[in-house]
Amino acid sequence: LATAAVIALATATASLASTGWSTGDVNMRQGPGTSYYTVGAIPRCAFLTVYAEDRGWYQVDWGGVVGWVSGIYLTRSDSHCQYQRTAFV
């Protein structure tokens, strides 16, 4: 019964997953807040799978590592990552 519950939760979580990109270099943490230990660092413009939200913090998967990132550093679009021409005078 416990195994069935875990499978059901994993399936529900996967079906709610969305995608996003990091807007800057950001620490990934064990839980939703700065009081949790850092489990990795995500570079700017990294593609992320987003699973859950908790008070402005998002549970994400980056390269097989799951952790939490502040929503300040997430976006649904990668438009900020596109190359922009700069005119040199």
Side-chain angles (χ1 to χ4, degrees):
L1 184 60
T3 303
V6 169
I7 292 171
L9 179 59
T11 304
T13 301
S15 66
L16 295 176
S18 62
T19 58
W21 284 264
S22 57
T23 61
D25 297 337
V26 59
N27 288 327
M28 185 183 336
R29 298 184 176 273
Q30 287 179 333
T34 56
S35 61
Y36 291 90
Y37 288 110
T38 300
V39 295
I42 300 173
R44 181 181 181 273
C45 295
F47 177 79
L48 308 167
T49 301
V50 181
Y51 295 117
E53 190 271 342
D54 185 355
R55 298 173 313 230
W57 286 79
Y58 291 82
Q59 185 182 43
V60 300
D61 180 321
W62 180 64
V65 178
V66 176
W68 292 82
V69 211
S70 171
I72 295 169
Y73 297 98
L74 292 180
T75 184
R76 300 258 182 228
S77 168
D78 68 344
S79 63
H80 69 285
C81 300
Q82 302 301 318
Y83 174 78
Q84 304 218 358
R85 285 187 187 211
T86 309
F88 292 99
V89 179

